[in-house]
Amino acid sequence: MSLPDRIDPRPPRRIYRWDLDKTYLQTDFESLRDLFRTAFQKAHEKVAIPGASALIRELAEQGDSRLCIVSGSPKQMRAVLEEKLKLDGIQWDEFVLKDNVGNLLRGRFRALRGQVGYKLPAILESRVHAPVEAEEVLFGDDAEADAFIYSLYADLIAGRVDERVLSQVLEAGGVYPDDAARVQEAWKKIPIADPVRRIFIHLDKLTPPAHFTPYGPRVVPIFNYFQAALVLLADGHLTAPQVLKIAVEMVQTAGHNIITLSNSFQDLLRRGLPLQQAAIALSQAMEGPNALLKAMRPMPDILAAFSKRLAALGTQPPPPRVQAVDYVSLISHALPRTHKARTLKPPT
């Protein structure tokens, strides 16, 4: 019996799409000085946002997922960014960076800061090659137009946005004709499906979570990655022990403590996230004599209190995951040059 020349990996069941700057990496480029410092940082000098690398590693544990990174960082930073990811134990399947030198040489100055004409075609072209049944979770931040772009992407491939609206959005977003053509071409190749389960927006600029209400409950603003882990536990992407590992790492390496984590949990409850079963699963996971979990005391008592509070409120049906989004009206507010977020303190 002859053996095959190769064994292809099984198709991914889940795809996780990540931005880098202000989503995975703590990055400052508000001034020219910050921009130069970021550009010349070595890999070991770059710092991941607490919990981000642990979350990515735990999501990869199932072995049937893909990590796709689309970053606005320039292509010239590929070597140092790849080295940083390797230092953090991150393995990726796709890694797309922005061709800012090419944009400069071609006089495409809008494209230097523009995100709609960069990220939207990139993730649509990636989806062309994905199994139609593969679910997706996307991670971005509030420093750019990630919530807008990711939501538009999700509704395009689900058939909830038509060509007329798409054309209006691309024009309003200042997208160059060749990038608009890439969007149209890739979109038409993708079978209609509804794969995007969650869109997480890291609140680097501390934008009030209510700012994202027009995008519906699929978009979840987060102050930290413990909050993302809790929602992903409720959605079935993580187990309770995995969430606890992420929490322990945040406590031991990033200055978090039980109070900040419990306040993060309560913040999600106040916003109506359906976390009752997640609280129960975490309580059960902490009942054993696991030495790793000693760092999390007195979290079991906090979780027990959460469970009682949720039980007193009664079982409420979760809100619909998708709602109609008026992208034509939202784009003027979504672009960073026209929207300045009001400062809000994170839960402490």
Side-chain angles (χ1 to χ4, degrees), residues 129-144:
H129 306 290
V132 67
E133 67 276 7
E135 297 180 351
E136 297 199 15
V137 177
L138 292 82
F139 299 82
D141 59 75
D142 61 342
E144 301 287 355

Side-chain angles (χ1 to χ4, degrees), residues 276 306-315:
Q276 183 172 12
F306 286 162
S307 299
K308 291 179 181 178
R309 178 182 171 191
L310 289 166
L313 291 174
T315 302

Side-chain angles (χ1 to χ4, degrees), residues 16-320:
Y16 300 107
R17 301 191 186 278
W18 281 73
D19 185 21
L20 278 187
D21 294 320
K22 299 182 182 292
T23 301
Y24 179 80
L25 290 175
Q26 295 180 359
T27 310
D28 291 319
F29 41 73
E30 304 303 324
S31 67
L32 189 60
R33 182 179 179 181
D34 293 334
L35 190 62
F36 274 105
R37 185 176 65 249
T38 299
F40 290 100
Q41 276 182 329
K42 296 180 180 179
H44 70 273
E45 296 173 326
K46 293 185 177 295
V47 179
I49 293 169
S53 57
L55 175 58
I56 290 178
R57 291 193 299 269
E58 293 304 321
L59 289 172
E61 280 296 304
Q62 299 295 331
D64 56 356
S65 65
R66 288 177 62 84
L67 172 61
C68 303
I69 301 170
V70 177
S71 169
S73 294
K75 288 184 174 182
Q76 290 71 25
M77 293 185 65
R78 177 176 294 277
V80 69
L81 292 174
E82 288 186 349
E83 184 181 351
K84 169 59 180 172
L85 292 171
K86 290 175 182 177
L87 288 173
D88 291 348
I90 304 300
Q91 297 181 334
W92 63 91
D93 299 281
E94 295 179 14
F95 193 177
V96 180
L97 295 172
K98 202 171 188 179
D99 185 13
N100 274 340
V101 172
N103 286 326
L104 275 173
L105 293 176
R106 297 169 62 190
R108 293 161 53 97
F109 301 113
R110 291 198 310 272
L112 295 176
R113 290 187 59 83
Q115 293 297 317
V116 176
Y118 166 62
K119 283 189 177 178
L120 185 58
I123 57 180
L124 282 169
E125 288 168 350
S126 174
R127 182 69 196 183
V128 168
H129 306 290
V132 67
E133 67 276 7
E135 297 180 351
E136 297 199 15
V137 177
L138 292 82
F139 299 82
D141 59 75
D142 61 342
E144 301 287 355
D146 288 344
F148 181 90
I149 295 167
Y150 290 168
S151 293
L152 177 61
Y153 163 73
D155 285 342
L156 277 170
I157 58 180
R160 287 187 287 268
V161 172
D162 60 28
E163 192 164 352
R164 178 185 61 84
V165 170
L166 176 60
S167 297
Q168 288 180 299
V169 167
L170 296 178
E171 181 178 358
V175 177
Y176 285 99
D178 57 339
D179 290 328
R182 288 174 56 204
V183 169
Q184 295 277 0
E185 182 180 358
W187 177 39
K188 292 174 181 178
K189 292 180 181 178
I190 300 172
I192 293 178
D194 194 9
V196 177
R197 294 292 174 259
R198 290 286 182 188
I199 297 169
F200 291 102
I201 300 297
H202 177 245
L203 298 176
D204 177 81
K205 297 175 66 176
L206 303 181
T207 304
H211 172 77
F212 300 95
T213 300
Y215 296 104
R218 178 177 56 197
V219 173
V220 181
I222 55 168
F223 289 102
N224 56 61
Y225 282 107
F226 179 61
Q227 290 187 318
L230 290 170
V231 177
L232 289 167
L233 169 60
D235 289 349
H237 289 250
L238 293 172
T239 65
Q242 287 180 306
V243 174
L244 292 175
K245 285 176 66 177
I246 294 167
V248 168
E249 180 170 309
M250 293 175 67
V251 168
Q252 294 179 338
T253 66
H256 285 267
N257 56 51
I258 298 302
I259 301 301
T260 61
L261 295 182
S262 63
N263 286 349
S264 295
F265 203 139
Q266 289 183 354
D267 172 57
L268 294 177
L269 295 180
R270 286 193 297 268
R271 289 194 252 151
L273 273 294
L275 297 178
Q276 183 172 12
Q277 294 304 314
I280 294 172
L282 286 171
S283 296
Q284 293 173 343
M286 298 190 72
E287 289 176 353
N290 190 326
L292 176 67
L293 303 183
K294 291 181 180 179
M296 299 303 295
R297 306 295 177 187
M299 184 64 91
D301 296 332
I302 295 170
L303 290 170
F306 286 162
S307 299
K308 291 179 181 178
R309 178 182 171 191
L310 289 166
L313 291 174
T315 302
Q316 299 178 346

